[in-house]
Amino acid sequence: AYKKLKEMLPLYYKLQQSGNWDSITKPDKPIHLGESSEIIATVKDRLFRLGDLAVNDSTNVLDSALFSAAKSFQRRMGLSVDGAVGAKMITELNITPAQRARQILVNLERMRWMTPKTDSNYIFVNIPEYKMYVYTADTLTFSMNVIVGTAANSTVIFSGNLKNIVFSPYWKVPVKIVRNEIVPGIKKNPNYLEKHNMERIGGSDSLPSIRQKPGPSNSLGKVKFLFPNNYDIYFHDTPNRELFGATSRSFSHGCIRVGEPRHLAEYLLRNDTIWTKYRMDTAMNNTKETWVTLKKSVPVVIAYFTAWVDNNGVLNFRKDIYGHDARLAAKLFTN
């Protein structure tokens, strides 16, 4: 991964030396296939120089070639892939080659920090990509969308070992949420806990200890996956499935919501003959918790990369959603 990303640097150094990377004016509304605009010729030139457009021309029409090139660029920037030239796409095109080169250097530095891999079976999550990758014998088995923490409740970067699956889990509500959301809710509505399928399990009147019982409305959904750590971070299901369709998916309080929890559970228990599909269905729709300890724990890596080369050899960039790149760049570069 390090070698592939490093090989992309010369292109951006060359583009940086060639100059002429003035900002393109953002359109008032997206430009679609067959439409024309005075900015299209510049967009074509830029996508040609970046390698997304095979053949350049100077016309101002969004033709089929530009439509395909726009989708290629949108895909590797993590934008909505619709082939239309809109404000978000122009924002990414306006990032200068010098800025991209620095972004690559920051991520190369971050790669040097990675702990050496000790197992060929592992789960890798890239926070800015909102994506989980599951590897078996160093081969990608499947991937899925994830939801990560907001900027205010950022998901922590660390490594751990997934040891337990909990079907129909209780949700022990964090103190911060109890204080800021639940206590005010109880004051407004005495039936707040019952309404949200919650119960008090201790604490004081001013700061009670609260948990949410298993059920369709449980914030953790039907299953959670535990890898012991000091940050209280874990994978879990969610009843809010519609959020997985969003392009930017930083909505959680810090934990990682997985797009296909059933698929992940089946994979982790694939060699355990006790866990048939029927038993799993029953456990996921129960009114009490069921804990499962994996026969062999699975390494988990939670990482933060905003630039990388994917399995198809394509260079990807993502937004620095937590400001980690900016802070590292301030240490690496003096100007």
Side-chain angles (χ1 to χ4, degrees), residues 31-255:
I31 305 161
H32 294 91
L33 181 63
E35 297 178 347
S36 61
S37 169
E38 60 184 14
I39 70 169
I40 289 298
T42 308
V43 170
K44 286 181 177 179
D45 178 66
R46 197 150 294 182
L47 288 176
F48 173 72
R49 293 165 72 187
L50 289 170
D52 295 281
L53 182 62
V55 180
N56 194 13
D57 70 63
S58 57
T59 63
N60 279 324
V61 178
L62 202 165
D63 53 20
S64 58
L66 177 55
F67 181 73
S68 297
K71 289 200 291 185
S72 167
F73 181 78
Q74 290 165 344
R75 190 174 294 110
R76 63 192 192 90
M77 298 295 136
L79 303 174
S80 295
V81 182
D82 58 9
V85 175
K88 290 183 178 180
M89 179 174 168
I90 296 301
T91 296
E92 298 297 327
L93 282 172
N94 283 340
I95 295 175
T96 67
Q99 290 171 311
R100 288 302 192 196
R102 283 196 173 198
Q103 189 173 358
I104 290 173
L105 288 169
V106 163
N107 282 271
L108 284 171
E109 179 67 14
R110 191 172 283 130
M111 284 182 182
R112 293 175 61 236
W113 303 351
M114 293 293 289
T115 304
K117 201 159 49 62
T118 58
D119 197 316
S120 61
N121 300 333
Y122 59 98
I123 297 172
F124 180 88
V125 174
N126 186 18
I127 296 170
E129 190 186 3
Y130 312 112
K131 205 84 173 179
M132 172 189 285
Y133 297 91
V134 178
Y135 289 87
T136 309
D138 279 330
T139 301
L140 180 63
T141 305
F142 60 91
S143 63
M144 67 179 72
N145 290 343
V146 299
I147 291 171
V148 301
T150 62
N153 300 285
S154 58
T155 299
V156 181
I157 302 166
F158 71 99
S159 300
N161 289 287
L162 200 160
K163 296 181 178 180
N164 298 104
I165 302 174
V166 185
F167 294 113
S168 298
Y170 282 101
W171 177 43
K172 177 65 167 62
V173 184
V175 172
K176 184 178 178 181
I177 298 176
V178 173
R179 182 186 296 114
N180 297 337
E181 299 177 25
I182 294 179
V183 170
I186 293 172
K187 289 179 180 178
K188 290 180 181 178
N189 178 9
N191 296 319
Y192 181 92
L193 293 181
E194 183 180 354
K195 180 182 178 182
H196 291 86
N197 196 33
M198 294 177 174
E199 61 185 4
R200 179 174 172 175
I201 54 173
S204 62
D205 289 338
S206 60
L207 189 62
S209 181
I210 304 294
R211 71 178 181 181
Q212 189 176 37
K213 293 181 280 188
S217 64
N218 187 288
S219 294
L220 304 185
K222 297 181 177 182
V223 60
K224 68 178 179 179
F225 307 86
L226 302 180
F227 34 99
N229 58 83
N230 295 326
Y231 313 105
D232 200 25
I233 300 293
Y234 47 88
F235 301 143
H236 66 86
D237 182 18
T238 173
N240 303 313
R241 310 302 306 170
E242 71 282 354
L243 296 177
F244 287 100
T247 305
S248 298
R249 296 187 293 276
S250 52
F251 303 117
S252 82
H253 284 90
C255 286

